[in-house]
Amino acid sequence: MLRRIRRDQVTLGMFVHRFEGSWLDHPFWLPRFHLTDAKDLARIRESSVTGVVIDEGRGLALDSAAAAEDGDASAAGHELLSPPLLAVQRRHGFAEERERAVALVKHSAREIKRLFAEAHAGEKVRLTAFAPLVAEVMASVARNPYALIAVTRLKKLDEYTYVHSLAVSALMTSFARHLDMPESEVFDYGVAGMVHDIGKIVVPNKILQKPGPLTDAEFALVRTHPEQGYRLLSRHAGASDVVLDVCRHHHERLDGSGYPFGLKDGQISRAARIAAICDVYDALTSNRSYKAAWKAEEAIGRMYDWDGNFDRELLLGFMKTIGVYPPGLLVYLSSNRLAVTMPNDRRTSRPKVRVFFCARERTQLPLLDLVLDDDLGHDQIVREESPVDWGITGWPLVAEQLMSGCVPKIVSVRPADTTSDRPARHLADAR
């Protein structure tokens, strides 16, 4: 039940549903959270909000507050996993945030390793212990969306599992923000990324770090980790549906080639599809015991070519999130122009395209190179286009000509409901 109270009536254990008044009157960006920190309580009471709406069905009721303050904390003592209160973050440059990101990776890797070890020793998984780490990830991504992700790519082989968990959390947090999810959902995605591989505690390190191909028996053991992780997390009453779903299904693939259940297309949730993209991208761009890291553009290009593995619309959204596109895509810009994506080794976080066609006038344009910015005042990639829909045959050759600076003859027709045919490709290794 929702109830409006004064800010001086707020106390620990309450679940804040929303603040009343302008968002400028308080320094928080999460609209809903479980209040468990005394410092956060002080910040609310010292703010200028006109009122606070609490959810008495999810936290301490106003009538129970006095009893709780007298020592009866049973109503507030549940181990709830709720989004932490985060102050509004000032945007940082890449170099400035990178220094903080290096420290965050070192600290988080130790903490994740310790928490995984506790679970391996038979102790209950303490999801609430991951919440502060996720809060730090969310804050870092808010200050700069690229720095933390870049630092995690430098992970050492012996700490891969732990830094990979941090990296996937950062990627899922950034992607969720790009999709304009509420901060409470962004938090859930961050937690899900952090613990998606917790089931690997049952797999010996000699298998996870094996430099050569796995035997059938070894691979069968690796394939049990999503279900093992799901069972561990299911014992925690605070685990959200998103966290459980991502842990169990992040290795499922749209064409049914994934595991553990071989789910197909509509059977796989949006959260699991997002997790699959973030998980594989980080794995491909990291040094592993059995392969060297791929460059970001190469990884995205391979994922794009593995038809049937990933949700194509979400994959394009992920490309926008990280600012990396495989060269040679035909894309539609917000300026109603067609362009081909170009290599941009100088700064991969700002994609480069070559404009060549006016979609509105159906006329060719002089070749023009643009480095896209995430500022809404600049041109943006809206979507990928099918060359066939625009009367462009032999697109690979046309794209090669455009990227080399030549101006091929383009014949435009009214877009039709046709799609290009891609050869099926599959992931070779799911470790």
Side-chain angles (χ1 to χ4, degrees), residues 13-296:
M14 289 182 172
F15 189 93
V16 176
H17 182 76
R18 71 171 181 271
F19 294 107
E20 292 193 339
S22 169
W23 66 271
L24 293 172
D25 293 333
H26 63 84
F28 314 122
W29 61 1
L30 284 176
R32 301 177 185 178
F33 52 87
H34 188 237
L35 184 58
T36 59
D37 193 307
K39 292 181 181 178
D40 295 334
L41 173 61
R43 291 164 67 194
I44 293 176
R45 291 182 173 177
E46 294 168 2
S47 71
S48 301
V49 296
T50 57
V52 181
V53 177
I54 63 172
D55 187 341
E56 295 184 321
R58 301 180 66 181
L60 188 66
L62 179 62
D63 296 338
S64 303
E69 290 178 356
D70 289 336
D72 181 13
S74 59
H78 299 296
E79 192 179 20
L80 298 177
L81 183 66
S82 301
L85 221 57
L86 297 178
V88 176
Q89 301 295 313
R90 176 179 64 84
R91 289 290 292 233
H92 288 182
F94 182 90
E96 181 182 6
E97 182 58 28
R98 189 182 187 282
E99 292 184 14
R100 301 180 70 161
V102 169
L104 173 56
V105 169
K106 290 181 179 179
H107 164 69
S108 297
R110 290 194 300 268
E111 282 296 291
I112 295 170
K113 182 177 182 178
R114 180 179 64 82
L115 293 169
F116 276 29
E118 288 181 3
H120 188 258
E123 298 183 29
K124 183 179 179 181
V125 177
R126 295 190 297 118
L127 273 182
T128 48
F130 288 95
L133 300 179
V134 176
E136 292 185 63
V137 169
M138 292 172 67
S140 177
V141 170
R143 290 190 295 266
N144 186 288
Y146 307 114
L148 178 58
I149 293 170
V151 171
T152 59
R153 290 178 60 185
L154 304 177
K155 59 183 74 70
K156 301 175 182 177
L157 291 179
D158 60 350
E159 61 181 13
Y160 173 82
T161 297
Y162 314 112
V163 181
H164 172 66
S165 297
L166 180 68
V168 175
S169 179
L171 288 167
M172 291 186 68
T173 295
S174 187
F175 197 179
R177 286 241 179 85
H178 174 81
L179 296 173
D180 293 326
M181 294 185 188
E183 285 299 298
S184 56
E185 290 186 37
V186 174
F187 174 75
D188 274 348
Y189 274 65
V191 174
M194 193 78 73
V195 299
H196 77 287
D197 265 348
I198 196 169
K200 284 187 175 178
I201 62 176
V202 305
V203 183
N205 282 334
K206 66 179 182 180
I207 293 179
L208 294 176
Q209 298 177 11
K210 185 176 179 180
L214 300 180
T215 65
D216 290 344
E218 290 169 337
F219 190 55
L221 180 58
V222 170
R223 286 166 64 104
T224 67
H225 82 265
E227 191 66 13
Q228 295 283 2
Y230 172 78
R231 291 174 183 173
L232 281 170
L233 296 176
S234 295
R235 301 170 189 167
H236 193 293
S240 70
D241 291 341
V242 167
V243 171
L244 295 175
D245 181 45
V246 165
C247 181
R248 199 177 202 182
H249 299 134
H250 64 277
H251 278 291
E252 299 289 358
R253 299 293 179 259
L254 299 189
D255 59 5
S257 63
Y259 64 88
F261 304 111
L263 302 182
K264 291 185 177 181
D265 201 7
Q267 298 174 308
I268 306 173
S269 71
R270 186 188 192 203
R273 296 174 189 223
I274 288 173
I277 291 170
C278 296
D279 177 51
V280 171
Y281 175 78
D282 183 68
L284 294 179
T285 55
S286 302
N287 284 316
R288 307 293 302 275
S289 56
Y290 52 89
K291 76 165 191 68
W294 292 351
K295 292 183 178 180

Side-chain angles (χ1 to χ4, degrees), residues 239-406:
S240 70
D241 291 341
V242 167
V243 171
L244 295 175
D245 181 45
V246 165
C247 181
R248 199 177 202 182
H249 299 134
H250 64 277
H251 278 291
E252 299 289 358
R253 299 293 179 259
L254 299 189
D255 59 5
S257 63
Y259 64 88
F261 304 111
L263 302 182
K264 291 185 177 181
D265 201 7
Q267 298 174 308
I268 306 173
S269 71
R270 186 188 192 203
R273 296 174 189 223
I274 288 173
I277 291 170
C278 296
D279 177 51
V280 171
Y281 175 78
D282 183 68
L284 294 179
T285 55
S286 302
N287 284 316
R288 307 293 302 275
S289 56
Y290 52 89
K291 76 165 191 68
W294 292 351
K295 292 183 178 180
E297 281 187 357
E298 181 184 7
I300 283 293
R302 295 289 187 94
M303 292 172 68
Y304 179 86
D305 284 339
W306 284 325
D307 199 19
N309 275 249
F310 307 108
D311 184 305
R312 295 302 277 256
E313 184 176 348
L314 286 175
L315 184 58
L316 185 65
F318 181 72
M319 294 178 195
K320 292 180 181 179
T321 300
I322 62 174
V324 178
Y325 295 81
L329 289 188
L330 176 63
V331 293
Y332 194 99
L333 304 180
S334 56
S335 59
N336 297 309
R337 295 180 292 180
L338 296 183
V340 61
T341 53
M342 299 282 290
N344 188 21
D345 294 332
R346 185 178 64 86
R347 186 172 175 185
T348 56
S349 63
R350 295 180 63 191
K352 182 178 179 181
V353 299
R354 180 163 289 168
V355 177
F356 67 92
F357 194 83
C358 177
R360 179 174 292 171
E361 301 295 333
R362 305 295 173 88
T363 57
Q364 286 189 235
L365 299 171
L367 301 184
L368 173 65
D369 288 355
L370 297 177
V371 177
L372 303 180
D373 197 287
D374 58 359
D375 186 338
L376 293 179
H378 293 72
D379 217 345
Q380 298 286 303
I381 293 175
V382 176
R383 60 181 178 270
E384 180 192 358
E385 290 285 351
S386 166
V388 176
D389 290 354
W390 290 91
I392 304 174
T393 58
W395 171 250
L397 178 59
V398 172
E400 185 177 331
Q401 291 174 323
L402 287 168
M403 288 189 287
S404 66
C406 299

